[in-house]
Amino acid sequence: RIPREILDYIDKHFASKLTVTYLAERCFYNPTHFARIFRESFGVTVKDYIKAKRIDAAERLLRTTMLTIDEVIEAVGYTNRTDFYRAFESRVGCTPAEARQSAPVRPLE
């Protein structure tokens, strides 16, 4: 069973470079065993869970701040713009620019 603390850790550090090996070591598990248990427990891979956290945070930032798309990409831990756009469109169903435009009201900064 995956300790709740690991999910809390991922939720707080999703923008960092997190690997299965690193997370497994935090629970004293073998990385392969950790990955299997994680998927059985949560229905998604560790990588997909982290990706979802990053994209959800990016969508929130795009809708509520005036950060540029590149600043948002960096803030959520992506290093490759193409990977970010692909993941964002897959999860959200629109481009980052479209998500920003559809935000009800953007705050002044």
Side-chain angles (χ1 to χ4, degrees):
R1 184 157 195 298
I2 301 294
R4 176 68 202 168
E5 294 80 28
I6 287 297
L7 287 183
D8 293 341
Y9 185 86
I10 293 170
D11 292 349
K12 289 178 185 155
H13 298 92
F14 64 83
S16 315
K17 182 170 172 51
L18 297 177
T19 65
V20 171
T21 301
Y22 175 75
L23 294 169
E25 286 173 358
R26 289 187 63 89
C27 320
F28 306 102
Y29 284 144
N30 168 292
T32 304
H33 179 69
F34 175 81
R36 185 177 53 76
I37 297 295
F38 191 97
R39 185 178 179 110
E40 288 173 1
S41 297
F42 304 109
V44 294
T45 65
V46 176
K47 183 178 178 180
D48 286 344
Y49 184 84
I50 294 168
K51 185 190 306 183
K53 287 291 173 187
R54 288 177 173 171
I55 297 303
D56 291 349
E59 182 180 17
R60 201 167 31 261
L61 288 171
L62 288 167
R63 293 181 189 274
T64 61
T65 72
M66 295 300 290
L67 294 173
T68 67
I69 293 173
D70 285 335
E71 290 170 330
V72 169
I73 290 169
E74 185 178 331
V76 299
Y78 271 85
T79 56
N80 182 298
R81 195 172 216 261
T82 302
D83 290 344
F84 172 78
Y85 269 80
R86 218 175 264 135
F88 190 93
E89 288 184 53
S90 174
R91 180 151 178 91
V92 180
C94 64
T95 67
E98 290 167 342
R100 169 158 280 159
Q101 289 172 347
S102 69
V105 177
R106 294 198 319 238
L108 297 175
E109 285 191 17

